[in-house]
Amino acid sequence: MNYTETEKEEIIVSEKKPKKFFVETYGCQMNVSDSEIVTALLQKEGYQSSSSPAEADVILINTCAIRENAEDRVRTRIRDFKSAKKQNPGMIIGVLGCMAERMKTKLLEEENLVDMVVGPDAYRSLPSLINDLEEGGKAVNVLLSREETYADVNPVRLSGNGITAFISIMRGCDNMCSFCVVPFTRGRERSRDPETIVNEARLLFEEGYREVTLLGQNVDSYQWFGGGPKKDLEKVIAENKNREIVNFASLLEKVARISPLLRIRFSTSNPQDMTDEVLHVIAKYHNICKYVHLPMQSGSSRVLEMMNRGYNREKYLQRIKAIRTIIPGCGISTDIIAGFCSETEEEHRETISLLEEVKFDYAYTFAYSERPGTPAAKKFKDDVPEEVKSKRMQEILALQRRQSLESNKEDIGKEFEVLIEGYSKHSRRNHLSTNSHKPIAELMGRNTQNKAIVFTSEKYKPGDYVHVRITKCTSGTLLGEVIN
Ligand code: 5AD
Ligand code: SF4
């Protein structure tokens, strides 16, 4: 058969196999959310996502730079991919996210580890960077933006349970905590158009999702008035007298009103910015979860001052008191850094005493890791020996484990409304090992305070709300039975 030149071109295009990409994600929830945005952007350009790196033409590693050990883990993984590349020389290895932004061309040029380096605000350029690479050369885009929020991108959900999803409501951070690399890797703070946030949440609800977590480095400073950096607020208010200003409290309300069956969580709150207005909104709506993650970092006012956190021990305790007064029964968790520059044994004891006073439901504890370029790296000496940091961290972890167990024991006999997210780990393991096709009965869900609850039921499925009475517990999980 004879084809015209145009027909031949069309046949070649249609026979060209779609390129496959594989994304691996490290670090925080925001990175998970970013990988979902990257997946959507690439699929829109005809790329196919793959769950196997061996099959992929493009491997993307979405990285974290918050601590040195996070970067070490990523480096090891990149080396694995690089040796796999020997079998498949055409494969592209790209590094995305915070480590890409921090290292810039270093991973490419000095360490010769990867083919492509793309920072958190440059994901729209991924398809064109991949094209550039295929024509030879290396690809880098680490430009940070004051506007990019990917507001129009509908993320492809990768978490897989079909019940809970993340929604990015803002990007970047202006807080400049002295230990933190985030303001340098994720750039200036900017909020996303609330209409696109509410639409995304509504769509998720219509698809069967029952919980959204609103994400930002500092959700309390969310503010929308039609674009532009926050510092222009007064000018914009003067110019647009009738424009609605949406802060975090009003954003929460807008999302809460979508449906009483859609739960709302959020992360991360900042003790310096969290308002009573936000707490009252949480108390007012049944479907806004009674759970606040409020990083304290240290119990010592002197250390907090060096960390540039904008609050001291007393102010932190006042915020805890406000949460407990306005939202009785609220779950509270925190982040702690052990062994920050010049932290003395007495100051470490202040952290311990704050933990004993507050009795958090959970605490994430980290040993201080100096990040190059941060204010702390420039101004202070990382002078607490690693073994002292580790000893302090272990002490905090042991105390918190006891306190989490105490907090869980207090829940025995109580009844909670639970949103079922899926099956318990134990149930999934049994199912895999026996290859059974019987319904899996051990379900896992969370109460409003974010505690994981495991119980048995043949009647309910993921996405259902059930009432569960707690009968037993470990330091990490509550066990219970369904109440009719
Ligand atoms: N070293 C140790 N922990 C850190 N975090 C942020 N930067 C560092 C660092 N340089 C912790 C803080 C923050 C959490 C996300 O990570 O506790 O709240
Ligand atoms: Fe880092 Fe502080 Fe911003 Fe959190 S609030 S991302 S710790 S600078």
Side-chain angles (χ1 to χ4, degrees):
M1 196 184 285
N2 288 329
Y3 292 108
T4 64
E5 283 308 307
T6 326
E7 281 169 334
K8 275 189 212 157
E9 266 175 36
E10 279 170 4
I11 290 165
I12 293 168
V13 169
S14 67
E15 282 176 354
K16 218 171 147 187
K17 275 208 323 237
K19 285 221 156 15
K20 289 191 176 167
F21 68 97
F22 169 81
V23 194
E24 190 161 285
T25 309
Y26 291 84
C28 61
Q29 297 171 328
M30 189 65 97
N31 264 13
V32 175
S33 169
D34 278 4
S35 290
E36 297 182 333
I37 288 169
V38 165
T39 302
L41 288 167
L42 285 175
Q43 284 186 356
K44 196 165 153 245
E45 293 298 313
Y47 287 83
Q48 230 174 47
S49 81
S50 163
S51 55
S52 149
E55 282 180 3
D57 305 292
V58 182
I59 289 186
L60 301 171
I61 308 143
N62 194 358
T63 61
C64 171
I66 200 121
R67 283 170 290 274
E68 197 177 351
N69 57 13
E71 290 197 353
D72 292 344
R73 225 171 301 136
V74 167
R75 267 207 187 79
T76 309
R77 196 63 181 141
I78 298 176
R79 288 205 181 92
D80 290 347
F81 288 130
K82 214 186 160 198
S83 52
K85 194 175 155 142
K86 287 189 191 120
Q87 264 79 55
N88 179 7
M91 185 171 92
I92 292 171
I93 304 178
V95 51
L96 315 180
C98 289
M99 197 173 156
E101 192 64 49
R102 194 182 82 72
M103 309 280 294
K104 305 208 163 51
T105 55
K106 209 168 154 216
L107 285 166
L108 250 168
E109 287 159 5
E110 289 171 33
E111 302 188 21
N112 198 20
L113 275 176
V114 297
D115 309 295
M116 187 166 66
V117 178
V118 189
D121 287 346
Y123 296 146
R124 285 183 205 270
S125 68
L126 265 168
S128 68
L129 289 173
I130 295 171
N131 281 344
D132 292 352
L133 267 175
E134 283 165 346
E135 283 157 21
K138 306 229 170 192
V140 182
N141 188 348
V142 287
L143 288 175
L144 287 172
S145 156
R146 281 184 165 234
E147 281 92 34
E148 181 62 273
T149 57
Y150 301 107
D152 57 316
V153 180
N154 188 19
V156 174
R157 305 295 159 186
L158 300 171
S159 89
N161 69 9
I163 307 298
T164 61
F166 296 131
I167 301 182
S168 265
I169 62 162
M170 57 207 294
R171 297 182 74 82
C173 187
D174 283 352
N175 268 22
M176 293 302 279
C177 302
S178 66
F179 52 77
C180 187
V181 77
V182 169
F184 305 92
T185 61
R186 288 190 164 270
R188 297 302 298 269
E189 181 190 288
R190 66 222 97 116
S191 296
R192 175 180 168 190
D193 181 340
E195 212 179 299
T196 68
I197 298 170
V198 173
N199 286 343
E200 190 175 325
R202 188 175 293 118
L203 205 68
L204 283 163
F205 180 70
E206 284 163 5
E207 287 170 7
Y209 284 81
R210 289 294 173 265
E211 183 180 295
V212 293
T213 302
L214 308 182
L215 294 180
Q217 305 297 340
N218 180 9
V219 289
D220 302 293
S221 67
Y222 176 90
Q223 197 138 47
W224 177 263
F225 44 89
K230 199 166 75 178
K231 65 175 168 23
D232 294 341
L233 185 59
E234 277 169 27
K235 194 169 142 238
V236 176
I237 294 173
E239 284 168 4
N240 302 276
K241 291 228 162 47
N242 300 323
R243 187 178 272 170
E244 182 194 16
I245 303 222
V246 181
N247 63 10
F248 186 55
S250 46
L251 179 72
L252 273 177
E253 288 209 86
K254 281 178 193 288
V255 184
R257 286 200 200 111
I258 292 173
S259 165
L261 289 178
L262 181 69
R263 270 188 176 178
I264 294 107
R265 298 191 185 277
F266 53 88
S267 191
T268 297
S269 305
N270 194 301
Q272 162 183 204
D273 299 309
M274 190 181 67
T275 60
D276 284 358
E277 189 193 2
V278 165
L279 298 179
H280 284 294
V281 170
I282 300 170
K284 181 171 156 197
Y285 289 87
H286 179 73
N287 58 334
I288 304 182
C289 289
K290 309 296 176 264
Y291 169 64
V292 179
H293 179 64
L294 195 69
M296 75 173 200
Q297 315 296 5
S298 167
S300 148
S301 294
R302 187 192 75 89
V303 173
L304 287 168
E305 166 93 46
M306 282 176 72
M307 287 178 166
N308 192 32
R309 287 288 290 177
Y311 57 88
N312 57 21
R313 183 185 172 100
E314 287 64 41
K315 285 209 179 114
Y316 185 84
L317 285 169
Q318 276 166 18
R319 290 287 77 206
I320 295 288
K321 197 168 163 209
I323 296 173
R324 295 209 159 126
T325 314
I326 300 170
I327 318 168
C330 189
I332 307 178
S333 61
T334 198
D335 288 343
I336 300 162
I337 296 179
F340 185 65
C341 312
S342 80
E343 183 190 70
T344 64
E345 193 55 35
E346 290 69 47
E347 286 162 341
H348 165 62
R349 299 249 72 81
E350 288 187 70
T351 298
I352 295 282
S353 78
L354 192 68
L355 281 166
E356 285 167 339
E357 190 168 341
V358 177
K359 293 195 171 61
F360 293 99
D361 297 290
Y362 197 80
Y364 301 84
T365 309
F366 313 100
Y368 173 60
S369 164
E370 185 178 85
R371 305 315 291 135
T374 54
K378 287 185 189 153
K379 285 189 294 189
F380 311 128
K381 236 172 116 192
D382 178 16
D383 53 0
V384 177
E386 289 306 315
E387 57 280 12
V388 176
K389 286 182 192 171
S390 167
K391 194 179 130 276
R392 290 180 187 170
M393 192 169 107
Q394 293 309 323
E395 196 182 342
I396 295 167
L397 285 171
L399 169 62
Q400 187 52 48
R401 210 169 300 122
R402 287 198 300 277
Q403 291 192 333
S404 293
L405 182 63
E406 279 312 305
S407 153
N408 282 355
K409 276 186 182 163
E410 280 171 21
D411 288 336
I412 294 178
K414 288 187 190 161
E415 293 174 15
F416 293 109
E417 183 184 64
V418 174
L419 169 63
I420 305 174
E421 290 178 17
Y423 301 97
S424 75
K425 276 189 207 135
H426 172 246
S427 231
R428 286 199 302 264
R429 258 200 311 275
N430 278 355
H431 181 65
L432 289 176
S433 62
T434 59
N435 231 346
S436 146
H437 294 289
K438 280 197 305 204
I440 311 165
E442 207 177 55
L443 294 157
M444 194 288 289
R446 284 175 197 278
N447 63 6
T448 186
Q449 291 89 350
N450 204 34
K451 286 190 180 176
I453 302 182
V454 169
F455 57 96
T456 321
S457 169
E458 299 288 335
K459 207 165 118 198
Y460 295 100
K461 58 178 193 317
D464 289 343
Y465 286 95
V466 285
H467 282 89
V468 176
R469 183 183 299 114
I470 305 307
T471 52
K472 279 192 267 180
C473 72
T474 65
S475 65
T477 315
L478 299 176
L479 301 135
E481 53 198 26
V482 174
I483 319 160
N484 287 324

